[in-house]
């Protein structure tokens, strides 16, 4: 047996070819890994948004249920009151609470809020209409 030892230039060339092939394969693997990371990141973001939406929907449902219970309890305990009167009282209270919160915690120095008896009624009607539409939509879903 005779050992064949190629010329150093040939060995260097063969080593460079081998290294280039390995680098090419490594870049393919790196590209695939980046692709998987992007897909997983997008899936996680989509799931996060979905769960956030579910949370908001549950929160709104809990608020609606709580308002409904409060209105029924109040109208049963205080005779002569209708659900509409109770709802108006709750809306006015929430309206004033919102104005108070804006004044206490807002970093703004000026906040323009339309204020007057007619505006409170309009806001109450808008909220009441929104609640009615929400309950109608929920009934249609069930």
């Amino acid at each position: 047996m005779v050992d064949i030892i190629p010329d150093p230039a040939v060995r260097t060339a063969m080593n460079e070819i081998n290294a280039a092939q390995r680098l090419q394969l490594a870049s393919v693997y790196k590209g695939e890994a980046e692709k998987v990371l992007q897909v997983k990141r997008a899936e996680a973001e989509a799931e996060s948004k979905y769960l956030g939406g579910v949370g908001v929907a549950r929160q709104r449902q809990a608020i609606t249920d709580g308002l409904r219970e409060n209105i029924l309890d109040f109208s049963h305990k205080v005779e002569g009151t209708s659900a509409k009167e109770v709802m108006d009282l709750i809306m006015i209270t929430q309206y004033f609470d919102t104005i108070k919160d804006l004044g206490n915690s807002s970093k703004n120095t000026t906040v323009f809020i339309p204020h007057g008896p007619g505006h409170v009624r309009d806001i109450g009607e808008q909220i009441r209409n929104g609640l009615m539409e929400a309950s109608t939509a929920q009934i249609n879903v069930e």
Side-chain angles (χ1 to χ4, degrees):
M1 288 250 325
V2 178
D3 284 337
I4 300 175
I5 300 174
D7 187 284
V10 172
R11 277 194 307 192
T12 302
M14 290 174 64
N15 286 337
E16 288 177 2
I17 291 171
N18 195 3
Q21 288 173 343
R22 288 186 182 152
L23 284 174
Q24 184 179 15
L25 187 59
S27 67
V28 169
Y29 287 149
K30 184 179 179 183
E32 288 295 321
E34 288 175 4
K35 177 181 164 184
V36 168
L37 284 175
Q38 282 184 333
V39 168
K40 291 298 180 184
R41 212 177 349 251
E43 288 174 353
E45 184 178 343
E47 182 71 12
S48 172
K49 288 180 180 179
Y50 169 77
L51 292 175
V54 168
V56 169
R58 287 181 181 165
Q59 178 185 21
R60 289 180 180 161
Q61 185 60 47
I63 290 169
T64 303
D65 292 344
L67 280 173
R68 185 181 310 116
E69 289 176 22
N70 286 337
I71 290 168
L72 292 174
D73 287 346
F74 191 90
S75 61
H76 288 3
K77 289 179 182 176
V78 179
E79 292 186 24
T81 59
S82 68
K84 182 189 180 318
E85 291 170 335
V86 176
M87 189 67 175
D88 288 343
L89 179 63
I90 290 172
M91 290 301 115
I92 289 170
T93 304
Q94 287 182 342
Y95 177 76
F96 285 126
D97 287 345
T98 302
I99 290 175
K100 182 177 116 185
D101 289 343
L102 278 172
N104 288 337
S105 64
S106 177
K107 294 181 182 179
N108 297 324
T109 55
T110 305
V111 178
F112 293 101
I113 300 174
H115 182 70
H119 288 99
V120 173
R121 185 182 67 243
D122 291 343
I123 291 169
E125 287 177 5
Q126 290 173 12
I127 293 172
R128 191 170 26 269
N129 290 340
L131 290 172
M132 297 296 240
E133 288 176 10
S135 69
T136 302
Q138 184 175 3
I139 290 170
N140 292 336
V141 169
E142 293 174 354

